[in-house]
Amino acid sequence: MNTITASTAIDSIIIEAADPAAAERFYAEAFGLGRRIRVRATDSPSTGFRGYMASLVVSQPAAVRRLVDAAVAAGATVVKPVAKSMWGIGGVVQAPDGSVWKIATSAKKDTAPDTGEIERIVLLLGGDDILASKRFYVEQGFRVGKSFGRSYVEFENQAGAIQLGLYRRGPLAKDAGVPEEGSGSHRLVLVGGGSTVTDPDGFEWEPAER
């Protein structure tokens, strides 16, 4: 089995898009994440839900609203309007390339000026057998931070890296606010470690640039 070596973390992600120039403009204007989000051209067939959701975690509601507004201005579609929940405040948008993004905070109200900072980027991968996927990543060297049986796994994260989590596909689609159905390419590549590898749910990794 190929293994992820040196860095058991996501250095960046590559969004594959039919119009990479448009996708690059969107991410620069909407989120400003620099090299952590890259774009690559593809013509691989992909329909419906792509099996993952990326989350931007911020400190307070003002930042959630700012990022959602910026995404919509750059061309995103609102899937879930910004609203309160038992966990905090958040909203979900779908980028023009088809990827789904959640912007959220655990804070219920603003306590200071919006600094413009994003505290964490979390990538949730949907799967049918979470225990098998968890076992795969543990074998690669990832350390489990939180685990809830067959439903959810969150791995420990390195400073500055994109955090990885696993979630059953159906509940993940429900959380994202989109239908569960989808087929074809994930149109996503995770960058990190030193080897090329594919996880049990078909998500591809490629080596980080050193």
Side-chain angles (χ1 to χ4, degrees), residues 109-197:
K109 61 181 181 179
D110 295 314
T111 57
D114 178 11
T115 64
E117 294 183 1
I118 293 171
E119 294 186 337
R120 285 187 298 145
I121 304 173
V122 182
L123 182 65
L124 292 176
L125 306 181
D128 297 320
D129 188 339
I130 295 302
L131 292 184
S133 298
K134 174 184 174 182
R135 183 166 56 250
F136 170 86
Y137 281 104
V138 169
E139 288 173 352
Q140 311 312 311
F142 280 78
R143 297 179 62 180
V144 175
K146 298 178 182 178
S147 182
F148 300 96
R150 298 176 180 272
S151 299
Y152 180 81
V153 178
E154 184 179 288
F155 295 101
E156 292 182 359
N157 200 39
Q158 297 181 11
I162 297 172
Q163 189 161 17
L164 176 64
L166 308 174
Y167 204 175
R168 284 197 298 123
R169 182 183 174 96
L172 178 58
K174 183 177 180 179
D175 186 25
V178 298
E180 179 182 352
E181 293 74 25
S183 63
S185 173
H186 293 299
R187 291 199 175 184
L188 176 75
V189 177
L190 291 73
V191 180
S195 301
T196 298
V197 66

